[in-house]
Amino acid sequence: MVSEFNLQVEENSDRLDRYLAEELPDLSRSRIQQLIEQGNVQLNNQVCTSKKINIKVGDRITLEIPEAQPLELQAEEIPLDILYEDDQIIILNKPAGLVVHPAPGHPDGTLVNALLAHCPNLPGIGGVQRPGIVHRLDKDTTGAIAIAKTDIAYQSLQAQLQAKTARREYLGVVYGAPKTESGIIDLPIGRNPQDRKKMAVIPIEKGGRSAVTHWRVLERLGNYTLVHFQLETGRTHQIRVHSTKIGHPIVGDPVYGSGRSVGVNLPGQALHAWRLKVQHPISEDVIEVTASPPQTFTTLLEVLRRRSAISS
């Protein structure tokens, strides 16, 4: 299915690609340039393959995004920790180190490959590239993730996430001691202009998207804190970026963290998707699951509790 965007220019802009990048922040500048070069952009009903062409007020732009070429997805027998399953959805406790879906650099060995072995009818749900996937967890973030097994379930779960009725709660261990017991971080997030692989707090007018994280302290552990996070929005790396921005990065975060060792061998950031609450797409019953944190997470807490007790 081809996605189409129709835009009417309201302000003069020096370049077509810059204008589209500002109007469509979900697309990278390089992706937009590629679409222009491939003839997927029309300027005033004429195909335009020049990314540098100047545009002016009143110009009409049509951008078509062709359907992604499907990856050669292979079913792989990878063990799954199933928290809930019926004929519509499956909710899993994802381990650290497991990438959710195939991408450059991770062509196989992903959660999607495992799901294809477990759910043979999964291909095609929500698009072949990421069958059934409605939300993601970072590679080294553990915990509850819901996957749709039918198109009806896919549409329902997507709608719940967009309407913010799905409840996603996380546990995280952060550096430092927050001055208050709870708070709300309301800072927009977008691609880091210096490093496209990273996210950052970016103003809305420069392409950032609204991002809201609620947090409260669960346990103070000396110079570390166990925090409960609840997502209002679901931007890429949202909790990790927000925590770092307020001066309390997630322990063990290799990208946004402090780099300080805590003396515990962690596979990545100490962040766990602890509880997930959604409405069943057919029965409309509330499904709430709690995912047990991995051993490394509980070991970290035990070590920090001992240290805190000794120093107090």
Side-chain angles (χ1 to χ4, degrees):
M1 181 176 173
V2 175
S3 299
E4 185 175 291
F5 296 89
N6 293 290
L7 305 166
Q8 181 158 356
V9 180
E10 296 178 353
E11 293 181 8
N12 289 331
S13 179
D14 57 340
R15 285 172 57 133
L16 175 62
D17 59 343
R18 284 184 189 152
Y19 171 81
L20 289 173
E22 289 173 1
E23 292 294 315
L24 305 170
D26 284 348
L27 295 176
S28 70
R29 181 91 165 269
S30 59
R31 175 64 171 142
I32 286 170
Q33 291 174 344
Q34 182 186 55
L35 290 167
I36 293 170
E37 291 164 2
Q38 292 173 347
N40 291 297
V41 174
Q42 290 187 24
L43 178 61
N44 299 323
N45 299 318
Q46 298 291 322
V47 173
C48 177
T49 56
S50 171
K51 63 189 178 186
K52 296 181 180 180
I53 192 169
N54 290 343
I55 57 173
K56 57 187 183 298
V57 174
D59 282 346
R60 293 182 177 276
I61 300 170
T62 301
L63 169 67
E64 289 188 349
I65 303 178
E67 188 171 12
Q69 292 298 310
L71 297 171
E72 291 296 324
L73 298 177
Q74 301 294 325
E76 296 180 48
E77 293 290 343
I78 299 171
L80 296 173
D81 181 1
I82 299 171
L83 302 174
Y84 175 90
E85 183 178 15
D86 61 20
D87 59 351
Q88 294 292 324
I89 63 175
I90 180 170
I91 304 176
L92 308 168
N93 187 356
K94 188 187 86 66
L98 185 63
V99 175
V100 170
H101 55 74
H106 295 284
D108 50 31
T110 72
L111 180 60
V112 163
N113 296 106
L115 285 165
L116 290 172
H118 183 76
C119 312
N121 297 327
L122 200 65
I125 304 301
V128 180
Q129 293 257 33
R130 304 176 182 181
I133 302 299
V134 290
H135 67 118
R136 296 190 317 118
L137 292 177
D138 298 332
K139 175 186 173 185
D140 290 324
T141 297
T142 56
I145 181 170
I147 294 98
K149 296 171 73 174
T150 68
D151 277 320
I152 290 173
Y154 184 86
Q155 292 161 14
S156 172
L157 291 174
Q158 268 207 327
Q160 291 178 54
L161 289 168
Q162 290 169 357
K164 303 175 184 175
T165 56
R167 188 180 178 98
R168 289 170 288 169
E169 301 174 55
Y170 290 69
L171 300 177
V173 181
V174 304
Y175 288 100
K179 291 183 174 64
T180 59
E181 293 302 306
S182 63
I184 300 173
I185 309 167
D186 185 353
L187 295 169
I189 290 175
R191 288 282 170 198
N192 187 322
Q194 277 77 47
D195 185 347
R196 300 292 297 176
K197 294 181 180 178
K198 294 173 66 174
M199 309 301 287
V201 170
I202 303 289
I204 297 285
E205 59 271 19
K206 293 189 177 180
R209 300 177 69 196
S210 171
V212 181
T213 305
H214 300 255
W215 65 269
R216 62 184 171 89
V217 171
L218 291 182
E219 188 175 355
R220 294 183 182 273
L221 303 159
N223 198 37
Y224 300 88
T225 307
L226 175 63
V227 177
H228 172 276
F229 296 98
Q230 185 181 334
L231 290 179
E232 187 173 312
T233 55
R235 307 303 176 207
T236 301
H237 300 174
Q238 179 172 318
I239 292 174
R240 298 164 65 188
V241 171
H242 274 173
S243 295
T244 298
K245 187 65 177 178
I246 64 170
H248 299 289
I250 303 291
V251 168
D253 190 331
V255 178
Y256 305 102
S258 68
R260 286 178 286 158
S261 171
V262 290
V264 177
N265 188 20
L266 298 171
Q269 58 273 0
L271 183 62
H272 176 71
W274 176 53
R275 187 175 286 161
L276 179 64
K277 184 176 177 181
V278 297
Q279 187 179 56
H280 192 274
I282 302 299
S283 69
E284 298 187 349
D285 291 338
V286 172
I287 301 168
E288 184 172 323
V289 300
T290 300
S292 299
Q295 186 61 50
T296 51
F297 194 97
T298 54
T299 298
L300 173 64
L301 288 176
E302 289 165 6
V303 168
L304 295 178
R305 282 172 186 144
R306 284 200 300 269
R307 287 185 196 164
S308 180
I310 292 169
S311 61
S312 61

